[in-house]
Amino acid sequence: MKKLLLLIILSLVISCDDSNVTDDSETIDTGQFKRILNHDNQEREYIVYIPESYDGTTEVPMVFNFHGFGGYISKYIDEADMRSVADAENFILVYPQGTEIEGFSHWNAAEDSPDNKSDADDIGFVKKLIEQLKSDYNINSNRIYACGYS
């Protein structure tokens, strides 16, 4: 009888399937992602890098790294690579792409004036990008920084 009871218990334990157990914790994708944000009826590209240490539970800083005139994020990210620094210091890194003018990408970083190179609303684009990233990630609004090369 004891052997039969042991056999029944063992078969119940072995047949227990935990595949129906769900994990409600949200998995956060880390790494490098190319994304598009629609601004002023134009698709604007950017690359966002999420360090492996980011888990979404605490606010982290965000750093924008802007390419210079004629630059493209696909090449600039390797020239001005801050991904290892983002990993070490736990911040979100963003490489936005400027718009093209006469075949060269550029930034229109000034308020609207006759001296502007173009009518691209890059200030509005960056503001919208910040809002988008703040809704996607746990960003510390007091720790948003920018750097770049020109």
Side-chain angles (χ1 to χ4, degrees), residues 51-67:
E52 287 203 26
S53 57
Y54 178 79
D55 64 9
T57 60
T58 58
E59 290 183 337
V60 296
M62 181 166 58
V63 175
F64 284 86
N65 195 340
F66 293 92
H67 64 78

Side-chain angles (χ1 to χ4, degrees), residues 6 32 56 64 66 121 127 131 140:
L6 182 61
Q32 179 175 306
F64 284 86
F66 293 92
D121 178 21
K127 285 179 180 179
E131 291 307 312
N140 182 335

Side-chain angles (χ1 to χ4, degrees), residues 49-54 61 82-93:
Y49 181 78
I50 310 302
E52 287 203 26
S53 57
Y54 178 79
M82 293 179 61
R83 292 171 285 191
S84 62
V85 180
D87 283 330
E89 300 299 327
N90 193 30
F91 63 83
I92 291 176
L93 180 58

